[in-house]
Amino acid sequence: MAETTKTKKAAPRAKGGGTKTCTVAGCKRAYRAKGLCFFHYKQFRRGELEGRPGRYDTCSKPDCKKKVVEHGLCQDHFEAWKKSRKKNQAAAAPA
C-alpha cells in the first residue's frame, strides 16, 4: 500500500502587501483582517481579545457581556429599561 503524507498548511497570507502590522501592542505579525494578525483575529472572533468586544457589540451595562439588541443594551437590560420608562410615563401622566 502506498503511504500518503500530510503536508502542513501555511499561515494565511498577509494583506496589504505585508507592510501593515497587527494593531495589538507588542505584536509584529502581518495584518490579516480588521487590523489584526491571523492569531489575534481568531481571538477577536471568539471574544477572547482583551480590550475589544467579540464579533458583536456587548451590553453597555457593567459586567454584562451579552449581545446588544437595542440602544446599546442586551435583551434583559433593554426589557428592564422599557418597563421603567413605562412606569415613569404612567406616573407623570396624572400629574
Coordinates of all heavy atoms in Angstrom, one line a residue:
M1 N 0.8 -1.2 0.0 CA 0.0 0.0 0.0 C 0.9 1.2 0.0 O 1.9 1.3 0.7 CB -0.9 0.0 1.2 CG -2.0 -1.0 1.2 SD -3.1 -0.6 2.6 CE -4.6 -1.1 1.9
A2 N 0.4 2.2 -0.7 CA 1.2 3.5 -0.8 C 0.8 4.4 0.4 O -0.3 4.5 0.8 CB 0.8 4.2 -2.1
E3 N 1.8 4.9 1.0 CA 1.6 5.8 2.2 C 1.4 7.2 1.7 O 2.0 7.7 0.7 CB 2.8 5.8 3.1 CG 2.8 4.7 4.1 CD 3.9 4.9 5.1 OE1 4.1 6.0 5.7 OE2 4.7 3.9 5.3
T4 N 0.4 7.9 2.3 CA 0.2 9.3 1.9 C 0.7 10.2 3.1 O 0.6 9.8 4.2 CB -1.3 9.6 1.7 OG1 -2.0 9.2 2.9 CG2 -1.9 8.8 0.6
T5 N 1.4 11.2 2.7 CA 1.9 12.1 3.7 C 1.1 13.4 3.8 O 0.7 13.9 2.7 CB 3.4 12.5 3.5 OG1 3.5 13.1 2.2 CG2 4.2 11.2 3.6
K6 N 0.8 13.9 4.9 CA 0.1 15.1 5.1 C 1.1 16.3 5.1 O 2.1 16.2 5.7 CB -0.7 15.1 6.4 CG -1.9 14.3 6.4 CD -2.8 14.6 7.6 CE -4.1 13.9 7.6 NZ -4.9 14.2 8.7
T7 N 0.7 17.3 4.4 CA 1.5 18.5 4.4 C 0.8 19.5 5.3 O -0.4 19.6 5.3 CB 1.7 19.1 3.0 OG1 0.4 19.4 2.5 CG2 2.4 18.1 2.1
K8 N 1.7 20.3 6.0 CA 1.1 21.3 6.9 C 0.7 22.5 6.0 O 1.3 22.8 5.0 CB 2.2 21.8 7.9 CG 2.5 20.8 9.0 CD 3.4 21.4 10.0 CE 3.7 20.4 11.1 NZ 4.5 21.0 12.1
K9 N -0.4 23.1 6.5 CA -0.8 24.3 5.8 C 0.0 25.5 6.2 O 0.4 25.6 7.4 CB -2.3 24.6 6.1 CG -3.3 23.8 5.4 CD -4.7 24.3 5.6 CE -5.7 23.5 4.8 NZ -7.0 24.1 5.0
A10 N 0.3 26.4 5.3 CA 1.0 27.6 5.7 C 0.0 28.6 6.3 O -1.2 28.5 6.1 CB 1.6 28.2 4.4
A11 N 0.6 29.5 7.1 CA -0.3 30.5 7.7 C -0.9 31.4 6.6 O -0.3 31.5 5.5 CB 0.6 31.4 8.6
P12 N -2.1 31.9 6.9 CA -2.7 32.8 5.9 C -1.8 33.9 5.4 O -1.1 34.5 6.2 CB -3.9 33.3 6.6 CG -4.2 32.4 7.7 CD -2.8 31.9 8.1
R13 N -1.9 34.2 4.1 CA -1.1 35.3 3.6 C -1.5 36.6 4.1 O -2.7 36.9 4.3 CB -1.2 35.3 2.0 CG -0.3 34.3 1.4 CD -0.2 34.4 -0.1 NE -0.1 35.8 -0.5 CZ -0.6 36.3 -1.7 NH1 -1.2 35.5 -2.5 NH2 -0.4 37.6 -2.0
A14 N -0.6 37.5 4.3 CA -0.9 38.8 4.9 C -1.5 39.7 3.8 O -1.1 39.6 2.6 CB 0.4 39.4 5.4
K15 N -2.4 40.6 4.2 CA -3.0 41.5 3.3 C -2.1 42.8 3.3 O -1.3 43.0 4.2 CB -4.4 41.8 3.7 CG -5.3 40.6 3.4 CD -6.7 41.0 3.7 CE -7.6 39.8 3.4 NZ -9.0 40.1 3.7
G16 N -2.4 43.7 2.4 CA -1.7 45.0 2.5 C -0.2 44.9 2.1 O 0.6 45.7 2.5
G17 N 0.1 43.8 1.3 CA 1.5 43.7 0.8 C 2.5 43.4 1.9 O 3.7 43.5 1.7
G18 N 2.0 43.0 3.1 CA 2.9 42.7 4.2 C 3.5 43.9 4.9 O 4.4 43.7 5.7
T19 N 3.1 45.1 4.5 CA 3.7 46.3 5.1 C 3.0 46.7 6.4 O 3.5 47.4 7.2 CB 3.7 47.5 4.1 OG1 2.3 47.7 3.7 CG2 4.5 47.2 2.9
K20 N 1.7 46.3 6.5 CA 0.9 46.7 7.7 C 1.2 45.6 8.7 O 1.3 44.4 8.4 CB -0.6 46.8 7.4 CG -0.9 47.9 6.4 CD -2.4 47.9 6.2 CE -2.8 49.0 5.2 NZ -4.3 49.0 5.0
T21 N 1.1 46.0 10.0 CA 1.3 45.1 11.1 C 0.1 45.1 12.0 O -0.8 46.0 11.9 CB 2.5 45.4 11.9 OG1 2.4 46.7 12.5 CG2 3.8 45.3 11.1
C22 N 0.0 44.1 12.8 CA -1.2 43.9 13.7 C -1.2 45.1 14.7 O -0.2 45.7 15.1 CB -0.9 42.6 14.5 SG -2.2 42.2 15.7
T23 N -2.5 45.6 15.0 CA -2.6 46.7 15.9 C -2.5 46.4 17.4 O -2.6 47.3 18.2 CB -4.0 47.4 15.6 OG1 -5.0 46.5 15.8 CG2 -4.0 48.0 14.2
V24 N -2.4 45.2 17.7 CA -2.3 44.8 19.1 C -0.9 45.2 19.6 O 0.1 44.9 18.9 CB -2.5 43.3 19.3 CG1 -2.2 42.9 20.8 CG2 -3.9 42.9 19.0
A25 N -0.8 45.8 20.7 CA 0.5 46.3 21.3 C 1.5 45.1 21.4 O 1.2 44.1 22.0 CB 0.3 47.0 22.6
G26 N 2.7 45.3 20.9 CA 3.8 44.3 21.0 C 3.7 43.2 19.9 O 4.7 42.4 19.9
C27 N 2.7 43.2 19.1 CA 2.6 42.1 18.1 C 3.2 42.7 16.8 O 2.9 43.8 16.4 CB 1.2 41.7 17.9 SG 1.0 40.4 16.6
K28 N 4.1 41.9 16.1 CA 4.7 42.4 14.9 C 4.3 41.5 13.7 O 4.9 41.6 12.7 CB 6.3 42.3 15.1 CG 6.7 43.3 16.1 CD 8.2 43.3 16.3 CE 8.6 44.2 17.4 NZ 10.0 44.1 17.8
R29 N 3.3 40.7 13.9 CA 2.8 39.9 12.8 C 2.2 40.8 11.7 O 1.7 41.8 12.0 CB 1.8 38.8 13.3 CG 2.4 37.8 14.2 CD 1.4 36.7 14.5 NE 1.8 35.8 15.5 CZ 1.5 35.9 16.8 NH1 0.6 36.9 17.2 NH2 1.9 35.1 17.7
A30 N 2.1 40.3 10.5 CA 1.4 41.0 9.4 C -0.1 41.1 9.6 O -0.7 40.1 10.1 CB 1.8 40.3 8.1
Y31 N -0.6 42.2 9.2 CA -2.1 42.4 9.2 C -2.8 41.4 8.4 O -2.4 41.0 7.3 CB -2.3 43.8 8.7 CG -3.7 44.1 8.1 CD1 -4.7 44.5 8.9 CD2 -3.9 44.0 6.7 CE1 -5.9 44.8 8.4 CE2 -5.1 44.3 6.2 CZ -6.2 44.7 7.1 OH -7.4 45.0 6.6
R32 N -4.0 40.9 8.9 CA -4.8 40.0 8.1 C -6.2 40.5 7.9 O -6.7 40.6 6.8 CB -4.8 38.6 8.9 CG -5.6 37.6 8.2 CD -5.0 37.1 6.9 NE -5.9 36.2 6.3 CZ -6.0 36.0 5.0 NH1 -5.2 36.6 4.2 NH2 -6.8 35.1 4.5
A33 N -6.9 40.9 9.0 CA -8.3 41.4 8.9 C -8.6 42.3 10.1 O -8.1 42.0 11.2 CB -9.2 40.2 8.9
K34 N -9.4 43.3 9.9 CA -9.8 44.2 11.0 C -8.6 44.8 11.8 O -8.6 45.0 12.9 CB -10.7 43.6 11.9 CG -12.1 43.2 11.3 CD -13.1 42.9 12.3 CE -14.4 42.5 11.6 NZ -15.1 43.5 11.0
G35 N -7.4 44.9 11.1 CA -6.2 45.5 11.7 C -5.5 44.5 12.6 O -4.7 44.9 13.4
L36 N -5.9 43.2 12.5 CA -5.3 42.2 13.4 C -4.6 41.1 12.6 O -4.9 40.9 11.4 CB -6.4 41.6 14.2 CG -7.2 42.5 15.1 CD1 -8.4 41.8 15.6 CD2 -6.4 43.1 16.2
C37 N -3.6 40.5 13.2 CA -2.9 39.4 12.5 C -3.9 38.2 12.6 O -4.9 38.2 13.3 CB -1.6 39.0 13.2 SG -1.8 38.5 14.9
F38 N -3.6 37.1 11.9 CA -4.5 35.9 11.9 C -4.7 35.3 13.3 O -5.8 34.9 13.7 CB -4.0 34.8 11.0 CG -2.8 34.0 11.5 CD1 -3.0 32.8 12.1 CD2 -1.5 34.5 11.3 CE1 -1.9 32.1 12.6 CE2 -0.4 33.8 11.8 CZ -0.6 32.6 12.4
F39 N -3.7 35.4 14.2 CA -3.7 34.9 15.5 C -4.7 35.7 16.4 O -5.6 35.2 17.0 CB -2.3 34.9 16.2 CG -2.3 34.4 17.6 CD1 -2.4 33.1 17.9 CD2 -2.2 35.3 18.6 CE1 -2.4 32.7 19.2 CE2 -2.2 34.9 19.9 CZ -2.3 33.6 20.2
H40 N -4.5 37.1 16.4 CA -5.4 37.9 17.2 C -6.8 38.0 16.6 O -7.7 38.2 17.3 CB -4.7 39.3 17.3 CG -3.6 39.3 18.2 ND1 -2.3 39.6 17.8 CD2 -3.5 39.0 19.6 CE1 -1.4 39.4 18.8 NE2 -2.1 39.1 19.9
Y41 N -6.9 37.9 15.3 CA -8.2 37.9 14.7 C -9.1 36.7 15.1 O -10.2 36.8 15.4 CB -8.1 38.0 13.1 CG -9.5 38.0 12.5 CD1 -10.3 39.1 12.6 CD2 -10.0 36.9 11.7 CE1 -11.5 39.2 12.0 CE2 -11.2 37.0 11.1 CZ -12.0 38.1 11.2 OH -13.2 38.2 10.7
K42 N -8.4 35.6 15.3 CA -9.1 34.4 15.7 C -9.5 34.6 17.2 O -10.7 34.2 17.5 CB -8.1 33.2 15.7 CG -8.7 31.8 15.7 CD -7.6 30.8 15.5 CE -8.1 29.4 15.5 NZ -7.0 28.5 15.3
Q43 N -8.7 35.2 18.0 CA -9.1 35.5 19.4 C -10.3 36.5 19.4 O -11.2 36.4 20.2 CB -8.0 36.1 20.2 CG -6.9 35.1 20.6 CD -5.8 35.7 21.4 OE1 -5.5 36.9 21.3 NE2 -5.3 35.0 22.3
F44 N -10.2 37.5 18.5 CA -11.3 38.5 18.4 C -12.6 37.8 18.1 O -13.6 38.2 18.7 CB -10.9 39.5 17.3 CG -12.0 40.4 16.8 CD1 -12.5 41.4 17.6 CD2 -12.6 40.1 15.6 CE1 -13.6 42.2 17.2 CE2 -13.7 40.9 15.2 CZ -14.1 41.9 15.9
R45 N -12.6 36.9 17.1 CA -13.8 36.2 16.7 C -14.4 35.4 17.9 O -15.6 35.3 18.0 CB -13.6 35.3 15.5 CG -13.4 36.1 14.3 CD -13.2 35.3 13.0 NE -13.8 34.0 13.1 CZ -13.3 32.9 12.4 NH1 -12.2 33.1 11.7 NH2 -13.9 31.8 12.5
R46 N -13.6 34.9 18.7 CA -14.1 34.1 19.9 C -14.4 35.0 21.1 O -15.0 34.5 22.1 CB -13.0 33.1 20.3 CG -12.8 32.0 19.4 CD -11.9 30.9 20.1 NE -10.8 30.7 19.2 CZ -9.5 30.6 19.5 NH1 -9.2 30.7 20.7 NH2 -8.6 30.3 18.6
G47 N -14.1 36.3 21.0 CA -14.4 37.2 22.1 C -13.4 37.2 23.2 O -13.7 37.6 24.3
E48 N -12.2 36.6 22.9 CA -11.2 36.4 23.9 C -10.1 37.5 23.9 O -9.2 37.5 24.7 CB -10.5 35.1 23.7 CG -11.4 33.9 23.8 CD -10.7 32.6 23.4 OE1 -9.6 32.6 22.8 OE2 -11.4 31.6 23.6
L49 N -10.2 38.5 23.0 CA -9.2 39.5 22.9 C -9.4 40.6 23.8 O -10.5 41.3 23.8 CB -9.1 40.0 21.4 CG -8.0 40.9 21.1 CD1 -6.6 40.2 21.3 CD2 -8.1 41.3 19.6
E50 N -8.5 40.9 24.7 CA -8.6 42.0 25.7 C -8.8 43.3 25.1 O -8.1 43.6 24.1 CB -7.3 42.0 26.6 CG -7.2 40.8 27.5 CD -8.2 40.8 28.6 OE1 -8.5 41.9 29.2 OE2 -8.7 39.7 28.9
G51 N -9.7 44.1 25.7 CA -9.9 45.5 25.2 C -10.7 45.6 23.9 O -10.9 46.7 23.5
R52 N -11.2 44.5 23.4 CA -12.1 44.6 22.2 C -13.2 43.6 22.4 O -13.0 42.5 22.9 CB -11.3 44.1 21.0 CG -10.3 45.1 20.5 CD -9.8 44.7 19.2 NE -8.8 45.6 18.6 CZ -8.6 45.8 17.4 NH1 -9.3 45.1 16.5 NH2 -7.7 46.7 17.0
P53 N -14.4 44.1 22.1 CA -15.5 43.2 22.2 C -15.4 42.1 21.1 O -14.6 42.3 20.1 CB -16.8 44.1 21.9 CG -16.2 45.3 21.2 CD -14.8 45.4 21.7
G54 N -16.2 41.1 21.2 CA -16.1 40.0 20.2 C -16.7 40.4 18.9 O -16.7 41.6 18.5
R55 N -17.3 39.5 18.2 CA -17.8 39.8 16.8 C -19.0 40.8 16.9 O -19.3 41.4 15.9 CB -18.4 38.5 16.2 CG -17.3 37.5 15.9 CD -17.9 36.3 15.2 NE -17.6 36.5 13.8 CZ -17.7 35.5 13.0 NH1 -17.9 34.3 13.4 NH2 -17.4 35.7 11.7
Y56 N -19.6 40.9 18.0 CA -20.8 41.8 18.1 C -20.5 42.7 19.2 O -19.7 42.4 20.1 CB -22.1 41.0 18.2 CG -22.0 40.0 19.3 CD1 -22.2 40.3 20.6 CD2 -21.8 38.6 19.0 CE1 -22.2 39.3 21.6 CE2 -21.7 37.7 20.0 CZ -21.9 38.0 21.3 OH -21.9 37.1 22.2
D57 N -21.3 43.8 19.3 CA -21.2 44.7 20.4 C -21.8 44.1 21.7 O -22.7 43.3 21.6 CB -21.9 46.0 20.1 CG -21.3 46.8 19.0 OD1 -20.0 46.7 18.9 OD2 -22.0 47.6 18.3
T58 N -21.2 44.4 22.8 CA -21.7 43.9 24.1 C -22.5 44.9 24.8 O -22.3 46.1 24.6 CB -20.6 43.4 24.9 OG1 -19.6 44.4 25.1 CG2 -19.9 42.2 24.3
C59 N -23.3 44.5 25.7 CA -24.2 45.4 26.5 C -23.4 46.5 27.2 O -22.2 46.2 27.7 CB -25.0 44.5 27.5 SG -26.1 45.5 28.5
S60 N -23.9 47.6 27.3 CA -23.2 48.8 27.9 C -23.2 48.7 29.4 O -22.5 49.5 30.1 CB -23.7 50.1 27.4 OG -25.1 50.2 27.7
K61 N -24.0 47.9 30.0 CA -24.1 47.8 31.5 C -22.8 47.1 32.0 O -22.3 46.2 31.4 CB -25.3 46.9 31.9 CG -26.6 47.6 31.7 CD -26.8 48.8 32.5 CE -28.2 49.4 32.3 NZ -28.5 50.5 33.1
P62 N -22.3 47.6 33.2 CA -21.0 47.0 33.7 C -21.2 45.5 33.9 O -22.2 45.0 34.4 CB -20.8 47.7 35.0 CG -21.7 48.9 34.9 CD -22.8 48.6 34.0
D63 N -20.2 44.7 33.6 CA -20.1 43.3 33.8 C -21.1 42.5 33.0 O -21.3 41.3 33.3 CB -20.2 42.9 35.3 CG -19.1 43.6 36.1 OD1 -18.0 43.7 35.6 OD2 -19.4 44.0 37.3
C64 N -21.7 43.1 32.0 CA -22.6 42.3 31.2 C -22.0 42.1 29.8 O -21.6 43.1 29.2 CB -24.0 43.0 31.0 SG -25.2 42.1 30.1
K65 N -21.8 40.9 29.4 CA -21.1 40.6 28.2 C -22.1 40.0 27.1 O -21.7 39.4 26.1 CB -20.1 39.5 28.4 CG -19.1 39.9 29.4 CD -17.9 40.6 28.8 CE -16.8 40.8 29.9 NZ -16.1 42.0 29.7
K66 N -23.4 40.2 27.3 CA -24.4 39.7 26.3 C -24.4 40.6 25.1 O -24.0 41.7 25.1 CB -25.8 39.7 27.0 CG -25.9 38.7 28.1 CD -27.2 38.7 28.7 CE -27.3 37.8 29.9 NZ -28.6 37.9 30.6
K67 N -25.0 40.0 24.0 CA -25.1 40.7 22.7 C -26.1 41.8 22.8 O -27.2 41.7 23.4 CB -25.5 39.7 21.7 CG -25.6 40.2 20.3 CD -26.0 39.1 19.3 CE -26.2 39.6 17.9 NZ -26.5 38.6 17.0
V68 N -25.7 43.0 22.1 CA -26.6 44.1 22.1 C -27.8 43.8 21.2 O -27.7 43.3 20.1 CB -25.9 45.4 21.5 CG1 -26.8 46.5 21.2 CG2 -24.9 45.8 22.5
V69 N -29.0 44.3 21.7 CA -30.2 44.1 20.9 C -30.7 45.5 20.4 O -30.8 45.7 19.2 CB -31.4 43.5 21.8 CG1 -32.7 43.4 21.0 CG2 -30.9 42.1 22.2
E70 N -30.9 46.4 21.4 CA -31.3 47.8 21.0 C -30.7 48.8 22.0 O -30.5 48.5 23.2 CB -32.8 47.9 21.0 CG -33.5 47.2 19.9 CD -35.0 47.5 19.9 OE1 -35.4 48.7 19.9 OE2 -35.7 46.5 19.9
H71 N -30.4 50.0 21.5 CA -30.0 51.1 22.4 C -28.7 50.8 23.2 O -28.6 51.2 24.3 CB -31.1 51.6 23.3 CG -32.3 52.1 22.5 ND1 -32.3 53.3 21.9 CD2 -33.5 51.6 22.3 CE1 -33.4 53.5 21.3 NE2 -34.2 52.5 21.5
G72 N -27.9 49.9 22.7 CA -26.6 49.5 23.4 C -26.9 48.6 24.6 O -26.0 48.5 25.4
L73 N -28.0 48.0 24.7 CA -28.4 47.1 25.8 C -28.7 45.7 25.3 O -29.2 45.5 24.2 CB -29.5 47.7 26.6 CG -29.4 49.0 27.2 CD1 -30.7 49.5 27.7 CD2 -28.3 49.0 28.3
C74 N -28.5 44.7 26.2 CA -28.8 43.3 25.8 C -30.4 43.2 26.0 O -31.0 44.1 26.5 CB -28.1 42.3 26.7 SG -28.6 42.5 28.5
Q75 N -30.9 42.1 25.7 CA -32.4 41.9 25.8 C -32.9 42.1 27.2 O -33.9 42.8 27.4 CB -32.7 40.5 25.3 CG -34.2 40.2 25.1 CD -34.9 41.1 24.0 OE1 -34.3 41.2 23.0 NE2 -36.0 41.6 24.3
D76 N -32.2 41.5 28.2 CA -32.6 41.7 29.6 C -32.6 43.1 30.0 O -33.6 43.6 30.6 CB -31.8 40.8 30.5 CG -31.8 39.3 30.2 OD1 -32.9 38.9 29.6 OD2 -30.9 38.6 30.5
H77 N -31.5 43.8 29.8 CA -31.4 45.2 30.3 C -32.4 46.1 29.5 O -32.9 47.1 30.0 CB -30.0 45.7 30.2 CG -29.1 45.1 31.2 ND1 -28.0 44.3 30.9 CD2 -29.2 45.1 32.6 CE1 -27.5 43.9 32.1 NE2 -28.2 44.4 33.1
F78 N -32.6 45.8 28.2 CA -33.5 46.6 27.4 C -34.9 46.4 27.9 O -35.6 47.4 28.0 CB -33.4 46.2 25.9 CG -34.3 47.0 25.0 CD1 -34.1 48.3 24.8 CD2 -35.4 46.4 24.4 CE1 -34.9 49.0 23.9 CE2 -36.2 47.1 23.6 CZ -36.0 48.4 23.3
E79 N -35.3 45.2 28.2 CA -36.7 45.0 28.7 C -36.9 45.7 30.1 O -37.9 46.4 30.3 CB -37.0 43.5 28.9 CG -37.0 42.7 27.6 CD -38.2 43.1 26.7 OE1 -39.2 43.5 27.2 OE2 -38.0 43.1 25.5
A80 N -35.9 45.7 30.9 CA -35.9 46.4 32.2 C -36.0 47.9 32.0 O -36.8 48.6 32.7 CB -34.7 46.1 33.1
W81 N -35.3 48.4 31.0 CA -35.3 49.9 30.7 C -36.7 50.3 30.2 O -37.2 51.3 30.6 CB -34.2 50.2 29.7 CG -34.3 51.6 29.1 CD1 -33.8 52.7 29.8 CD2 -34.8 52.0 27.9 NE1 -34.0 53.8 29.0 CE2 -34.6 53.4 27.8 CE3 -35.4 51.3 26.8 CZ2 -35.0 54.2 26.7 CZ3 -35.8 52.1 25.7 CH2 -35.6 53.5 25.7
K82 N -37.3 49.4 29.3 CA -38.6 49.7 28.8 C -39.7 49.7 29.9 O -40.5 50.6 29.9 CB -39.0 48.7 27.7 CG -38.5 49.0 26.4 CD -39.0 48.1 25.2 CE -39.9 47.0 25.5 NZ -40.2 46.2 24.3
K83 N -39.6 48.8 30.8 CA -40.5 48.7 32.0 C -40.4 50.0 32.8 O -41.4 50.6 33.2 CB -40.3 47.5 32.8 CG -40.8 46.2 32.2 CD -40.6 45.0 33.1 CE -41.0 43.7 32.5 NZ -40.8 42.6 33.3
S84 N -39.2 50.4 33.1 CA -39.0 51.5 34.0 C -39.5 52.8 33.3 O -40.0 53.7 33.9 CB -37.6 51.7 34.4 OG -36.8 52.0 33.3
R85 N -39.3 52.9 32.0 CA -39.8 54.0 31.2 C -41.3 54.1 31.2 O -41.8 55.2 31.3 CB -39.2 53.9 29.8 CG -39.4 55.1 29.0 CD -38.5 55.0 27.7 NE -38.8 56.1 26.9 CZ -39.0 56.1 25.6 NH1 -39.0 55.0 25.0 NH2 -39.3 57.2 25.0
K86 N -42.0 53.0 31.0 CA -43.4 52.9 31.0 C -44.0 53.3 32.4 O -44.9 54.1 32.5 CB -44.0 51.6 30.6 CG -43.8 51.3 29.2 CD -44.4 49.9 28.8 CE -44.2 49.6 27.4 NZ -44.7 48.2 27.0
K87 N -43.3 52.9 33.4 CA -43.7 53.2 34.8 C -43.6 54.7 35.1 O -44.5 55.3 35.6 CB -42.8 52.4 35.8 CG -43.4 52.3 37.2 CD -42.5 51.6 38.1 CE -42.1 50.2 37.7 NZ -41.2 49.5 38.7
N88 N -42.5 55.3 34.6 CA -42.2 56.7 34.8 C -43.3 57.5 33.9 O -43.7 58.6 34.4 CB -40.8 57.1 34.3 CG -39.8 56.6 35.3 OD1 -40.1 56.3 36.5 ND2 -38.6 56.5 34.9
Q89 N -43.6 57.1 32.8 CA -44.6 57.8 31.9 C -46.0 57.7 32.6 O -46.7 58.7 32.5 CB -44.6 57.2 30.5 CG -43.4 57.6 29.7 CD -43.4 57.0 28.3 OE1 -44.2 56.1 28.0 NE2 -42.5 57.5 27.5
A90 N -46.3 56.6 33.1 CA -47.6 56.4 33.8 C -47.7 57.3 35.0 O -48.8 57.8 35.3 CB -47.9 54.9 34.1
A91 N -46.7 57.4 35.8 CA -46.7 58.2 37.0 C -46.7 59.7 36.6 O -47.4 60.5 37.4 CB -45.4 57.9 37.8
A92 N -46.2 60.1 35.5 CA -46.1 61.5 35.1 C -47.5 62.0 34.5 O -47.8 63.1 34.5 CB -45.0 61.8 34.2
A93 N -48.2 61.1 33.9 CA -49.4 61.4 33.2 C -50.5 62.0 34.0 O -51.1 63.0 33.7 CB -49.9 60.1 32.4
P94 N -50.9 61.4 35.2 CA -51.9 62.0 36.0 C -51.6 63.4 36.6 O -52.4 64.2 36.9 CB -52.2 61.0 37.2 CG -51.5 59.8 36.7 CD -50.5 60.2 35.8
A95 N -50.3 63.7 36.8 CA -49.9 65.0 37.4 C -50.1 66.2 36.6 O -50.7 66.6 35.9 CB -48.4 64.9 37.7

